[in-house]
Amino acid sequence: MAPCTEAVYLHDASLRTLTTEIISHQPVSSLPENEKSLIKNADPEVSAITTRQTILYPQGGGQPSDTGSIALADQEPTFTVSLVRKTEDGRILHFGKSADPETLFVEGQSVIQRVDGAKRDYHSRLHTGGHIVGLAMELLFPEMRKVKANHFPKEACMEYEGLLYNEQKPLIQAKVDELVQQDLPILITWVEDGSDLEGRGALRDGPVRVASIGGLDQNPCGGTHVPTTKLVGPITIRKISRQKGISRVSYEVPLEV
Ligand SMILES: [Zn+2]
């Protein structure tokens, strides 16, 4: 069985380049159906690379995919990564195009991965921003259960069971501003037994990765974060909306800080 990809971004979200090794490189058309479906409407020149390790974040957990490149060591990038997805068996597929579509990397070749840093930074700030909104909500409305988190640009929101109204927006905004100003650290830990975290995120067998803002909350999370709350920049609570008993708190963070 093909080995899982070692997800280096889970342990160090600051890396922007990594030297690693090619495991496979194949046209999308030769992938099994369930893996082909991870990329929509791929043109024939798109191929998929797996590597022993990766610093590129695969779409999931409410966070969009990274983009970047893969190149032979000491050479200009030859493969542009446009989408990263995780397979059911834990391999991470880097979809993209080669400068020369005829040439595929070969198993065992040493390559350098690069992450598009500005985009990653924005995604990390959006993700941490979501956790800050989540903590503000936990502190203000502890009885409201979180049901969904989306950290995509232009769509970022946190959703809760129960009803919230526009009158509560200034309250949430003030609490969020306070948490940003406090410049609290984002702490990542691994918990062997995540059973007391049940209902607070997807649980899997084995250790659960937990993100916490200054020890004030505990969220199972596989995403990338900035090191402290202030690094998110000013968070704007855009609006509060309601549908079928679910309230949505939409937010945004600046593109650059
Ligand atoms: Zn998260």
Side-chain angles (χ1 to χ4, degrees):
M1 205 182 95
C4 289
T5 310
E6 189 191 324
V8 177
Y9 58 84
L10 289 175
H11 303 277
D12 187 351
S14 70
L15 288 175
R16 294 295 177 264
T17 65
L18 178 78
T19 302
T20 184
E21 194 182 314
I22 295 287
I23 300 288
S24 68
H25 186 189
Q26 60 192 110
V28 169
S29 58
S30 70
L31 291 172
E33 285 306 319
N34 61 335
E35 293 179 12
K36 250 184 236 175
S37 68
L38 294 172
I39 183 165
K40 305 273 178 274
N41 308 318
D43 76 44
E45 287 184 1
V46 173
S47 54
I49 291 177
T50 61
T51 47
R52 191 163 298 285
Q53 299 141 311
T54 193
I55 50 172
L56 287 130
Y57 184 80
Q59 182 180 317
Q63 182 176 332
S65 164
D66 276 335
T67 56
S69 64
I70 295 174
L72 289 176
D74 305 324
Q75 290 190 19
E76 288 297 302
T78 47
F79 184 87
T80 306
V81 179
S82 54
L83 179 68
V84 187
R85 299 295 308 262
K86 196 169 188 174
T87 65
E88 285 164 12
D89 60 358
R91 288 170 305 117
I92 293 174
L93 298 178
H94 306 81
F95 292 104
K97 286 187 185 180
S98 298
D100 172 12
E102 300 296 305
T103 315
L104 296 174
F105 289 111
V106 177
E107 184 181 356
Q109 273 180 324
S110 178
V111 287
I112 297 181
Q113 292 179 336
R114 293 182 180 83
V115 180
D116 289 337
K119 188 185 276 184
R120 159 65 78 77
D121 291 345
Y122 180 44
H123 290 170
S124 296
R125 289 188 296 102
L126 270 169
H127 197 140
T128 305
H131 281 227
I132 294 171
V133 174
L135 175 56
M137 288 294 296
E138 243 181 89
L139 295 170
L140 293 168
F141 309 100
E143 75 289 355
M144 291 188 81
R145 196 172 74 85
K146 184 178 87 189
V147 291
K148 197 179 148 195
N150 178 342
H151 312 301
F152 275 64
K154 297 189 166 64
E155 302 172 8
C157 65
M158 303 290 286
E159 291 186 357
Y160 296 86
E161 265 177 11
L163 298 179
L164 284 170
Y165 296 92
N166 266 329
E167 293 69 48
Q168 286 151 325
K169 199 169 100 169
L171 192 67
I172 300 169
Q173 181 70 63
K175 184 55 83 179
V176 161
D177 291 346
E178 186 187 318
L179 292 168
V180 169
Q181 275 310 313
Q182 286 175 333
D183 204 18
L184 298 163
I186 314 304
L187 310 165
I188 304 291
T189 52
W190 293 80
V191 179
E192 277 306 321
D193 177 10
S195 52
D196 61 334
L197 296 165
E198 203 163 2
R200 315 195 68 183
L203 292 180
R204 275 171 249 116
D205 294 337
V208 178
R209 185 176 183 264
V210 175
S212 171
I213 299 175
L216 298 172
D217 60 357
Q218 296 267 297
N219 284 298
C221 177
T224 65
H225 290 276
V226 290
T228 72
T229 57
K230 211 172 199 170
L231 294 171
V232 172
I235 300 171
T236 307
I237 302 298
R238 289 175 47 230
K239 64 174 181 184
I240 291 171
S241 52
R242 292 154 302 279
Q243 199 173 30
K244 293 179 182 160
I246 302 291
S247 295
R248 170 183 291 180
V249 181
S250 302
Y251 70 93
E252 65 187 7
V253 305
L255 198 54
E256 285 170 23
V257 286

